[in-house]
Amino acid sequence: MKTSLLIKLHLHTGLFIAFYVLAFGFSSIVMNHKLEFDKTEVTRIWETKVSAEPEVPDLELAESIKEELDLMGWVLPWEFKRDSMIFHFSVVHPGRKYQLTFESSNGIVKVEEMPKGFLAVFHGLHFLNGKIPNAPFLIRSWAVYQWLALFSMLVSLFLGIWLWLKNHYKLWQGVVFGSLFVGTIILMILL
Amino acid sequence: MKISGQLYQIIRQIHLYSSLTIVALLLMYVISSYMMIYHDWFQVKTRNESRITLDIRPKEINEDNWGSFLNKNNIKGRLVRENFEESGDIVRLYESAKGYAEITIFKKVDQVEIRSADLNLSGKINEMHRLRGFGGPLLYNIYAVLLDLVGVGLILFVLTGVILWLKLLKHNKLAWTILILGFIYVSAVLGYLIFI
């Protein structure tokens, strides 16, 4: 294959994953330093009536209310709180947390929305696999994008190394970066 | 985009060196990401599970000789959790990419219990993917420095890559289409998660 074609392929695969890689670079630093970006301010409160059966177990009740309200996200069982007439629970996804209060006497649910903010969502792309309950096609398609992005990263990486070895390789670079490569592998084995 | 020859060479070198520095970790991340995607095929399992009870007075394992206690009992990794139970027992969890050890120091009896297990290869690679942060033994801190290099390297890799592309293929419609579609898609996902 011609070198110019390999360069084009390297560039095109690189451009395809550019924003994905940016998110991962940012996210790696965030996680390594345990930084927190999640905002916890309630920005919207609304109420509605649901037809959920209050007698069912907590998880079932939370899931049925979530389905009825068509909320995207996971229910958090460790945040369930129930007293005689009131049931509190949360639904969360990478961009938002919903705190719900269900009054079993009248079937009214109060929903408090807490958007996490841009930085938290940008960081959250690291964990996104498209499998959020009630997610629309756009979010579910992330699984395909992620698969392709990882494959493109692999292709771009190998092509980049091939082009370097073929056209620009210098002995000192081989020694320094080869040692770093082997050193990193040894470090990973030791950990 | 006009870039002088010297500046172009510098940007190309930053692009090359930032990727060569992190290539081993990047490969591990890509491989382990695929293993996470196909987690049914690469199931994480524990093996060599053990539970031993040592007759030791809690006083004998104070902070001064805690390190030698860990060495003597072959406990690897770093402290990731310490719980003070209502009973007065202290539970310390040590984790490494190879496995874990949970040490319970009982208050009411002169005993210490060590529960440990190793991970299979999928588990080890999975844990390596999750391993992060400073703290603990020296090797973990060296690894954390490398992880910072990965973060910075990836960002530099993209920024310099885009500049190099603008120099080499700025009139290439396919390249523009790929970049713009990627931007629109990631922005749409971000926008949906932020606003809807």
Side-chain angles (χ1 to χ4, degrees), chain A residues 7-8 10-12 15-22 24-26 28-29 31-34 72 93-96 98 115 117-118 121-122 125-128 131-132 136-143 145-154 156-158 160-161 164 168 170 172-173 177 180-181 184-185 187-191, chain B residues 12-13 15-31 33-34 37-39 78 96-98 128-129 131-134 139-140 142-148 150-152 154-155 157-159 161-162 164-165 168-169 172 174-176 178-180 182-186 188-190 192-196:
Chain A
I7 292 173
K8 274 187 184 172
H10 175 69
L11 278 166
H12 288 149
L15 288 172
F16 177 67
I17 58 170
F19 300 101
Y20 183 83
V21 172
L22 267 185
F24 272 68
F26 171 75
S28 300
I29 297 169
M31 285 196 288
N32 205 30
H33 292 274
K34 299 183 174 81
M72 179 174 79
H93 69 69
R96 195 166 292 243
Y98 303 94
F118 172 78
V121 177
F122 194 58
L125 290 180
H126 196 124
F127 309 98
L128 188 62
K131 292 175 185 164
I132 309 175
F137 175 76
L138 177 70
I139 302 296
R140 281 184 282 123
S141 64
W142 185 263
Y145 176 72
Q146 188 179 47
W147 198 99
L148 290 173
L150 286 168
F151 184 72
S152 300
M153 198 186 290
L154 215 51
S156 188
L157 194 65
F158 281 123
I161 291 170
W164 165 62
H168 304 286
K170 289 179 184 135
W172 74 265
Q173 293 171 340
F177 293 108
L180 198 56
F181 182 87
T184 307
I185 300 280
L187 180 62
M188 286 194 276
I189 291 168
L190 290 174
L191 289 175
Chain B
R12 203 180 61 76
Q13 280 171 356
H15 187 75
L16 176 66
Y17 298 154
S18 62
S19 53
L20 287 178
T21 305
I22 59 174
V23 69
L25 282 166
L26 218 48
L27 276 176
M28 181 274 289
Y29 280 125
V30 174
I31 291 166
S33 296
Y34 274 124
I37 291 172
Y38 296 106
H39 55 85
R78 61 178 165 182
S96 73
K98 295 187 180 79
M128 189 54 69
H129 188 113
L131 200 65
R132 58 182 180 258
F134 289 84
L139 289 181
Y140 287 82
I142 295 171
Y143 190 72
V145 171
L146 285 176
L147 292 190
D148 270 348
V150 169
V152 174
L154 286 175
I155 293 167
F157 186 57
V158 172
L159 297 180
V162 169
L164 293 174
W165 158 67
L168 289 173
L169 286 174
N172 185 305
L174 178 62
W176 274 105
I178 290 171
L179 184 71
I180 291 169
F183 176 73
I184 291 172
Y185 179 70
V186 174
V189 170
L190 275 173
Y192 192 91
L193 291 171
I194 293 169
F195 299 112
I196 299 173

Side-chain angles (χ1 to χ4, degrees), chain A residues 54-66:
Chain A
E55 297 82 19
V56 297
D58 289 354
L59 183 61
E60 210 176 307
L61 179 59
E63 288 286 357
S64 69
I65 295 171
K66 186 191 83 175

Side-chain angles (χ1 to χ4, degrees), chain A residues 46-48 50 65 69 81 83 85-90 98-104 106-112:
Chain A
W46 49 281
E47 282 185 353
T48 190
V50 293
I65 295 171
L69 299 178
K81 212 167 83 183
D83 52 38
M85 301 299 275
I86 309 281
F87 176 52
H88 299 275
F89 68 103
S90 302
Y98 303 94
Q99 281 184 334
L100 297 98
T101 307
F102 172 63
E103 283 185 52
S104 54
N106 55 14
I108 298 285
V109 186
K110 186 173 91 171
V111 183
E112 296 173 301

